[in-house]
Amino acid sequence: MLALYSRCLTKYSLATNCTTALFVYSVGDVAAQYLEKSKTSDMDSGDKKHIVIAQHAPPSPSSLTCYSPLAFVDWSRTREMLVWSAGIYTPLFVLLYQKMDVVWPTNNTRHICCKVATSSLANIPTLCLFFTFGVAYPRVKECVCVVDSSCSRDNNSGSSAGPESQPVLAVTRRSTSTSSTRTSIMEASVRRIEQDLVPTLTAGFAYWWPANAVIFRCVPSLLRPVGMSVCSVVWGCYLSMVQYKK
């Protein structure tokens, strides 16, 4: 199996690396979302200590048959991450690694340092995009949910009331409240990015410099994009824990 994979890497380097990235990043994003779910569950449990749970209510058969261990996964987010990783990130870094192997072909200290510096600097836009996406994505979804719930309430109120007694003032107040809620959510996102972007970049440099050094020193050139994908998954899990810190 390993020999077949090595032949595919040699003959179809870009396609094999992109296919590997699809698998690695899908597993990594599911793991990251699990960490986010655990974080949010821990944060919510602290605010629900006084809720009384019915202890003797047996689970319904429908809940048992419909339960999925991956019910927490946001597959739309996973799909977007896979498009980014396999369609943009991995091909760019495969080409970058190939170019660096041409410019700095040996494994001496100077060439490895040049590769590490170049790869780490190339990661800066990626670090910024990953962090911004991780902070903004759940809040954009929250804004969409607020708008959808508001529209649903407006439709229900309009259908239940007659044409001469529609609660226009209530709908106007609700629209104003929805707009202010969306504004507060987006302002919180901007504040979070301004507050944590620089520390995240600092942590990224502290992580990626030694990670790249290990990749360029110890990993064969054909497997370096795979090593980069695995390190990116670890970094993504770290971002998932950071963005839901208290």
Side-chain angles (χ1 to χ4, degrees):
M1 189 69 179
L2 184 59
L4 176 62
Y5 185 71
S6 299
R7 286 198 300 271
C8 291
L9 279 174
T10 304
K11 193 172 182 180
Y12 311 105
S13 176
L14 185 60
T16 304
N17 279 300
C18 290
T19 304
T20 304
L22 283 174
F23 173 75
V24 173
Y25 278 95
S26 60
V27 174
D29 189 64
V30 170
Q33 291 189 51
Y34 177 79
L35 291 175
E36 293 174 12
K37 175 180 175 293
S38 301
K39 273 284 186 180
T40 52
S41 298
D42 292 341
M43 293 170 65
D44 292 340
S45 62
D47 301 328
K48 298 180 179 178
K49 294 180 179 179
H50 302 289
I51 296 179
V52 178
I53 301 175
Q55 297 180 356
H56 301 289
S60 62
S62 60
S63 65
L64 292 176
T65 56
C66 297
Y67 174 75
S68 171
L70 297 178
F72 64 90
V73 179
D74 183 353
W75 294 111
S76 62
R77 166 184 146 164
T78 303
R79 182 174 60 252
E80 293 168 5
M81 290 294 295
L82 293 182
V83 170
W84 158 257
S85 61
I88 300 174
Y89 184 68
T90 299
L92 287 178
F93 271 83
V94 167
L95 296 176
L96 177 63
Y97 284 179
Q98 291 174 352
K99 185 66 176 179
M100 287 191 295
D101 285 337
V102 172
V103 177
W104 301 296
T106 66
N107 273 346
N108 59 39
T109 303
R110 187 176 71 87
H111 283 189
I112 288 179
C113 288
C114 292
K115 292 178 181 179
V116 169
T118 303
S119 182
S120 299
L121 291 175
N123 257 325
I124 292 178
T126 303
L127 295 177
C128 296
L129 286 173
F130 266 28
F131 179 77
T132 304
F133 176 82
V135 171
Y137 183 83
R139 288 163 176 82
V140 170
K141 285 193 62 179
E142 188 176 353
C143 288
V144 172
C145 292
V146 169
V147 174
D148 289 343
S149 61
S150 176
C151 292
S152 177
R153 288 195 301 267
D154 292 345
N155 293 333
N156 292 334
S157 62
S159 60
S160 61
E164 296 180 356
S165 60
Q166 290 183 357
V168 179
L169 182 59
V171 172
T172 304
R173 289 176 177 173
R174 192 177 299 127
S175 300
T176 304
S177 175
T178 301
S179 177
S180 63
T181 302
R182 286 184 298 170
T183 302
S184 63
I185 291 173
M186 299 312 296
E187 287 177 351
S189 300
V190 173
R191 287 195 302 269
R192 185 63 182 273
I193 292 172
E194 292 176 348
Q195 176 185 352
D196 291 343
L197 180 58
V198 174
T200 301
L201 286 176
T202 303
F205 275 110
Y207 172 77
W208 279 107
W209 280 77
N212 283 323
V214 171
I215 289 174
F216 287 116
R217 171 66 75 177
C218 304
V219 179
S221 59
L222 286 176
L223 296 175
R224 284 170 188 166
V226 179
M228 178 267 299
S229 298
V230 174
C231 292
S232 297
V233 166
V234 176
W235 174 249
C237 292
Y238 167 78
L239 289 183
S240 297
M241 291 187 294
V242 166
Q243 65 176 311
Y244 282 95
K245 67 182 180 180
K246 288 189 178 181

